[in-house]
């Protein structure tokens, strides 16, 4: 990768190259075979270390990081499950960057995902001309990860058909991948030290393409929970939104009072309970922290590029519409009722503006 500034989102090993270099320089602890860092250094990369000027990158239970790293040092894969928007993919990327120094061996699961995209495929021009050979073989992430001893990420594995998922059985249990088209030593690829798989799955997707019992037995399951503390979530949204706005050319920092209104709204619509304990209608749409960051980014862009100022409560309402209407038209009606009723007892100019701006919702 040439210049990190030229791409919208560089991988973790590029974004945090300086931190990884410092951790490798000061890392004197024992490392599992094939790892780029020790378990202690990998943990510091994810949860942060002030003494080494390593930033905290994942907000969650540190014991989850400990269990995840130990799992990756064993012969079992790591399965991260949880609600959408709980940073499962981010955690997967950070762990892969810490363990292997490379987070790009990624399989994106979906209804159209095939075994060729997971294991290997062929250059058909060379295949017709020369027949099956290592020259005509096109390795996919799984084959590369096994042959190079690196971590493979499998995003949204339960979106793949069951028979496609089960192509992981032999690599996870026997640590070998057969290539029946080849002969001799090339017909079997044996996993090198450092190889393992991190998979992610949304709890909302359970039942879409449930995993087989055989495949489940080859993973350790860890649940990534939403952020429980308001202050922690607010700080995370503020920091991430500021980074996105800076990359987007916005020179005005997001307003703290606007972000407080935004995060509070997301939390209440997500949990179905207000700050004073009143029950309310919960939206079927995903009102996650990741969605809150996205809306905060859009609010800042709207305020800066339309008026040359930071976003306000009216921008929050306008940007919330696209988030609330994803799953059900009824969610827009619920959002309108929330803005018309639940926010009236709040104090502060931004809450009043939020209440009066409900007319910006479509419909």
């Amino acid at each position: 990768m040439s210049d990190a500034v030229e791409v919208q989102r560089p991988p973790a090993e590029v974004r945090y190259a300086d931190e990884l270099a410092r951790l490798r320089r000061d890392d004197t602890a024992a490392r599992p075979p094939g790892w780029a860092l020790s378990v202690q250094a990998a943990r510091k990369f994810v949860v942060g270390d002030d003494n080494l000027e390593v930033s905290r990158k994942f907000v969650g239970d540190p014991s989850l990081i400990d269990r995840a790293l130990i799992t990756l040092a064993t012969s079992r894969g790591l399965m991260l499950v949880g609600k959408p928007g709980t940073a499962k993919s981010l955690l997967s990327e950070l762990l892969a960057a810490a363990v292997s120094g490379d987070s790009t061996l990624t399989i994106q699961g979906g209804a159209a995902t095939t075994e060729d995209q997971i294991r290997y495929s062929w250059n058909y021009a060379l295949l017709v001309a020369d027949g099956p050979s290592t020259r005509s073989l096109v390795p996919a992430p799984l084959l590369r990860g096994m042959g190079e001893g690196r971590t493979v990420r499998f995003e949204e594995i339960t979106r793949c058909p069951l028979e496609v998922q089960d192509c992981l059985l032999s690599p996870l249990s026997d640590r070998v991948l057969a290539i029946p088209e080849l002969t001799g030593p090339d017909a079997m690829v044996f996993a090198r030290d450092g190889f393992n798989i991190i998979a992610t799955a949304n709890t909302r997707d359970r039942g879409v393409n449930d995993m087989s019992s055989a495949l489940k037995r080859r993973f350790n399951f860890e649940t990534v929970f939403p952020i429980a503390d308001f202050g922690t979530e607010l700080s995370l949204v503020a920091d991430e939104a500021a980074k996105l706005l800076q990359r987007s050319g916005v020179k005005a920092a997001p307003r703290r009072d606007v972000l407080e209104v935004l995060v509070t709204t997301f939390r209440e619509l997500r949990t179905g309970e207000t700050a004073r304990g009143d029950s309310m209608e919960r939206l079927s749409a995903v009102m996650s922290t990741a969605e809150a960051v996205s809306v905060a980014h859009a609010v800042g862009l709207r305020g800066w590029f339309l008026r040359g100022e930071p976003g306000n409560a009216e921008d929050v309402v306008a940007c919330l519409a696209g988030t609330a209407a994803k799953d059900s038209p009824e969610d827009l009606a619920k959002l309108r009722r929330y803005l018309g009723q639940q926010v009236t007892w709040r104090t502060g100019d931004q809450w009043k503006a939020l209440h009066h701006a409900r007319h910006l919702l479509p419909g």
Side-chain angles (χ1 to χ4, degrees), residues 45-315:
F45 176 68
V46 178
V47 303
D49 187 306
D50 293 336
N51 294 329
L52 293 176
E53 297 182 349
V54 175
S55 61
R56 184 184 186 185
K57 304 170 188 65
F58 175 77
V59 178
D61 185 2
S63 64
L64 167 64
I65 309 304
D66 296 340
R67 295 193 301 270
L69 289 169
I70 295 303
T71 293
L72 292 175
T74 70
S75 60
R76 297 173 69 87
L78 173 64
M79 175 66 69
L80 299 175
V81 300
K83 295 180 179 179
T86 50
K88 299 182 296 298
S89 295
L90 172 63
L91 179 55
S92 168
E93 179 187 8
L94 295 172
L95 291 171
V99 170
S100 297
D102 183 3
S103 64
T104 61
L105 291 181
T106 305
I107 304 159
Q108 180 58 56
T113 304
T114 64
E115 291 188 29
D116 291 353
Q117 296 169 304
I118 299 172
R119 302 189 303 170
Y120 59 88
S121 59
W122 299 95
N123 181 321
Y124 286 101
L126 292 175
L127 185 65
V128 171
D130 303 334
S133 66
T134 54
R135 184 165 170 260
S136 58
L137 184 69
V138 180
L142 182 61
L143 181 59
R144 286 189 56 197
M146 296 180 70
E148 299 171 10
R150 296 186 182 274
T151 303
V152 176
R153 300 168 55 208
F154 201 137
E155 296 293 318
E156 306 289 1
I157 188 173
T158 53
R159 293 189 182 274
C160 296
L162 186 62
E163 60 272 15
V164 174
Q165 297 176 27
D166 279 351
C167 74
L168 299 178
L169 288 173
S170 183
L172 279 172
S173 57
D174 302 326
R175 314 310 261 194
V176 63
L177 177 62
I179 307 177
E181 296 89 347
L182 301 180
T183 59
D186 295 330
M188 303 289 281
V189 176
F190 295 91
R192 294 189 178 184
D193 287 337
F195 164 72
N196 213 329
I197 296 176
I198 307 174
T200 66
N202 284 329
T203 50
R204 283 197 175 197
D205 291 338
R206 285 184 177 175
V208 176
N209 289 299
D210 199 9
M211 297 172 65
S212 66
S213 297
L215 187 57
K216 287 180 179 178
R217 288 195 298 270
R218 288 159 174 81
F219 281 99
N220 280 349
F221 281 66
E222 293 291 346
T223 301
V224 184
F225 293 99
I227 299 174
D229 179 66
F230 172 79
T232 302
E233 185 171 11
L234 176 60
S235 297
L236 176 63
V237 172
D239 292 343
E240 294 301 315
K243 293 176 185 176
L244 291 172
L245 289 169
Q246 184 178 16
R247 287 186 60 85
S248 300
V250 176
K251 298 180 180 179
R255 294 178 51 172
R256 189 75 173 186
D257 56 348
V258 173
L259 291 180
E260 288 178 359
V261 168
L262 171 64
V263 173
T264 300
T265 299
F266 263 76
R267 291 175 67 87
E268 294 184 347
L269 292 173
R270 182 169 68 225
T271 61
E273 184 177 344
T274 66
R276 66 178 184 181
D278 297 334
S279 297
M280 52 173 287
E281 296 174 295
R282 182 185 303 180
L283 298 192
S284 59
V286 176
M287 305 299 289
S288 64
T289 304
E291 287 280 1
V293 171
S294 179
V295 172
H297 183 207
V299 167
L301 291 176
R302 181 182 169 93
W304 180 254
F305 288 119
L306 292 182
R307 303 184 304 277
E309 61 186 31
N312 56 33
E314 288 191 357
D315 296 316

